Amino acid sequence: GAGVSQSPSNKVTEKGKDVELRCDPISGHTALYWYRQSLGQGLEFLIYFQGNSAPDKSGLPSDRFSAERTGGSVSTLTIQRTQQEDSAVYLCASSTSDQGSSYNEQFFGPGTRLTVL
Amino acid sequence: AQSVTQLGSHVSVSEGALVLLRCNYSSSVPPYLFWYVQYPNQGLQLLLKYTTGATLVKGINGFEAEFKKSETSFHLTKPSAHMSDAAEYFCAVTGSARQLTFGSGTQLTVLP
């Protein structure tokens, strides 16, 4: 596709349920990022993938959060036993990867709005 | 480690007036600096970036920003505001790590 896509666009779930959020990066982009945007915490980094590997998981807030990436493309962010504080917009971004450079423009998807009741 | 401070969570300007959104950063390594804009229910769009070289950078929609190392600032300006500029603006920094560290955002309102 032309840009980063995310699904679903909105997700309402009950406390304690598991949810899966999907990100389709721009074709050919090897780097993929997950961020969370919430009222109390602003925009926070969650996890970074290079290919299928996640060299930086430092932003995951708890062990209820996990993510995987397959085929160097689609990524899934899973939140187990959701809590009300997990309510936020989850943004995905992708970029090309240039070894040795810490900058490659990140292109953002529209986000998934998660509401935990 | 990096951090970003955006002064003013809400800024209002009249249409045609100067827009000035403030951003100060902290970084232990030479920073790369960015401004992103977010329209309602949309993702983030890059307005402009500073990586190396010229400290005055120009972006889309008539915005520009100047990197001032001595002041650790990267303020965003636009000479004349348009109604379509109403949005939330985020300053961000990255250094040796690849992820972006964002400021808390500034909501810009443009008054007719």
Side-chain angles (χ1 to χ4, degrees), chain A residues 101-117:
Chain A
S101 169
S102 63
Y103 169 68
N104 288 286
E105 182 177 344
Q106 294 182 28
F107 294 84
F108 284 80
T112 293
R113 182 175 297 279
L114 175 65
T115 302
V116 182
L117 302 177

Side-chain angles (χ1 to χ4, degrees), chain A:
Chain A
V4 178
S5 60
Q6 293 185 245
S7 61
S9 55
N10 281 283
K11 176 72 176 178
V12 180
T13 191
E14 294 180 348
K15 178 180 173 181
K17 300 285 189 182
D18 298 351
V19 296
E20 287 190 350
L21 312 179
R22 176 186 168 107
C23 172
D24 283 90
I26 293 172
S27 179
H29 279 191
T30 56
L32 186 146
Y33 305 78
W34 284 98
Y35 295 87
R36 178 169 72 172
Q37 185 174 22
S38 58
L39 282 177
Q41 302 297 324
L43 268 160
E44 306 171 279
F45 165 77
L46 297 178
I47 187 170
Y48 155 63
F49 285 93
Q50 180 58 46
N52 293 334
S53 301
D56 190 347
K57 306 179 183 179
S58 62
L60 293 178
S62 77
D63 59 7
R64 296 186 295 106
F65 287 72
S66 63
E68 65 175 11
R69 190 178 184 196
T70 56
S73 181
V74 171
S75 176
T76 302
L77 177 69
T78 300
I79 309 173
Q80 295 179 310
R81 305 181 303 280
T82 52
Q83 304 294 313
Q84 288 183 332
E85 62 262 29
D86 300 334
S87 295
V89 176
Y90 290 82
L91 293 168
C92 175
S94 71
S95 72
T96 58
S97 179
D98 179 12
Q99 287 190 349
S101 169
S102 63
Y103 169 68
N104 288 286
E105 182 177 344
Q106 294 182 28
F107 294 84
F108 284 80
T112 293
R113 182 175 297 279
L114 175 65
T115 302
V116 182
L117 302 177

Side-chain angles (χ1 to χ4, degrees), chain B residues 72-94:
Chain B
T72 61
S73 69
F74 191 59
H75 302 331
L76 181 71
T77 61
K78 181 174 180 178
S80 177
H82 294 167
M83 298 297 290
S84 60
D85 294 327
E88 190 157 21
Y89 292 79
F90 293 91
C91 182
V93 63
T94 188

